[in-house]
């Protein structure tokens, strides 16, 4: 049981974005030390105090309440007004990032086309429901151990080459590569690859955006 969080809920009827708190103000040290939370988590991690801010207000199911927390061990100085001001400066940026991430995920899940985000090593970093449905209905499997595959050696080599090419390009609508993953021409599964936009989820790992199509 998170005694700090329960105390925070008792103090605020609604945890609005930007709410800041210091756990020393919420729960006395002596009470915290008697809690199982202290024995199981705080003491092993050398956590004594926390300065926190709520980075979103949790008013929708897909954006849960998320505290941004800065920890210090017991015996450390209390957090200063400058520390709190720093947290307040950071919080709006994280709130915006979470909102953008939520909207991107909601958007990709509504797209009827099967869409995947791939790493340079063919790992599937993100797949929308349409892609998951296509993968489940294709034999032999197109995804093995989390990686996109093609049983045709020539196409597998082409896929690897395309991912390298995509990872070296910035997004350009004129650039696309089509790879056959399964089946004969006219009756198979094709993926068309393009370099990912810079703001793609997991963009630091992403090499390509893939659009999957079943021919016919």
């Amino acid at each position: 049981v998170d005694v700090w969080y329960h105390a925070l809920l008792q103090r605020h009827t609604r945890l609005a974005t930007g709410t800041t708190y210091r756990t020393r103000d919420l729960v006395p040290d002596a009470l915290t030390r008697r809690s199982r939370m202290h024995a199981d988590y705080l003491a092993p991690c050398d956590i004594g105090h926390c300065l926190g801010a709520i980075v979103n207000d949790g008013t929708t199911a897909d954006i849960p309440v998320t505290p941004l927390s800065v920890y210090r061990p017991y015996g450390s100085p209390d957090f200063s007004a400058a520390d709190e001001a720093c947290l307040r400066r950071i919080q709006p940026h994280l709130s915006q990032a979470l909102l953008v991430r939520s909207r991107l995920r909601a958007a990709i899940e509504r797209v009827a086309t099967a869409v995947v985000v791939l790493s340079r090593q063919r790992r599937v970093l993100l797949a929308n429901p349409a892609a998951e449905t296509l993968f489940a209905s294709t034999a032999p499997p197109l995804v093995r151990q989390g990686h996109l595959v093609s049983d045709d050696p020539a196409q597998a080599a082409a896929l690897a080459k395309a991912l390298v090419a995509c990872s070296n390009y910035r997004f350009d609508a004129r650039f696309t590569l089509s790879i056959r993953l399964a089946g004969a021409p006219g009756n198979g599964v094709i993926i068309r690859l393009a370099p990912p936009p810079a703001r793609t989820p997991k963009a630091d790992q992403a090499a390509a955006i893939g659009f999957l199509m079943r021919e016919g």
Side-chain angles (χ1 to χ4, degrees):
V1 176
D2 188 334
V3 294
W4 291 341
Y5 185 68
H6 280 271
L8 185 64
L9 286 177
Q10 289 176 355
R11 179 167 297 190
H12 300 275
T13 55
R14 177 175 175 271
L15 294 180
T17 298
T19 299
T20 59
Y21 56 91
R22 304 181 193 203
T23 55
R24 272 180 170 163
D25 299 334
L26 296 173
V27 182
D29 284 355
L31 184 59
T32 298
R33 288 177 184 271
R34 291 198 298 269
S35 68
R36 182 164 184 175
M37 172 185 171
H38 176 267
D40 289 352
Y41 175 62
L42 299 180
C45 295
D46 194 24
I47 294 173
H49 310 289
C50 171
L51 171 67
I54 300 301
V55 298
N56 52 59
D57 59 14
T59 55
T60 61
D62 57 345
I63 308 178
V65 170
T66 304
L68 169 63
S69 303
V70 182
Y71 299 112
R72 285 184 180 168
Y74 284 114
S76 61
D78 197 2
F79 292 99
S80 66
D83 294 327
E84 189 168 338
C86 181
L87 199 67
R88 289 183 183 276
R89 287 196 300 271
I90 295 170
Q91 173 268 314
H93 299 287
L94 287 178
S95 293
Q96 183 67 22
L98 287 171
L99 287 169
V100 170
R101 180 171 182 256
S102 175
R103 289 169 183 164
L104 283 172
R105 184 168 292 277
I108 196 172
E109 288 185 357
R110 288 196 299 266
V111 173
T113 302
V115 182
V116 293
V117 179
L118 298 173
S119 76
R120 191 164 174 164
Q121 293 75 33
R122 297 178 291 106
R123 178 172 292 279
V124 178
L125 301 175
L126 185 67
N128 71 346
E132 296 285 6
T133 299
L134 186 149
F135 291 150
S137 64
T138 304
L142 295 177
V143 177
R144 298 173 197 164
Q145 298 182 333
H147 292 75
L148 193 68
V149 298
S150 174
D151 285 332
D152 184 327
Q155 293 299 312
L159 177 60
K161 182 179 178 181
L163 288 170
V164 171
C166 284
S167 68
N168 292 328
Y169 277 75
R170 303 185 72 175
F171 185 78
D172 184 339
R174 297 167 299 176
F175 177 83
T176 182
L177 291 173
S178 296
I179 310 295
R180 179 171 301 282
L181 297 176
N187 187 30
V189 176
I190 287 177
I191 186 168
R192 291 184 176 171
L193 300 175
R199 297 181 182 272
T200 302
K202 299 187 178 181
D204 58 326
Q205 304 171 44
I209 302 292
F211 304 90
L212 293 142
M213 287 156 282
R214 188 184 292 279
E215 294 176 297

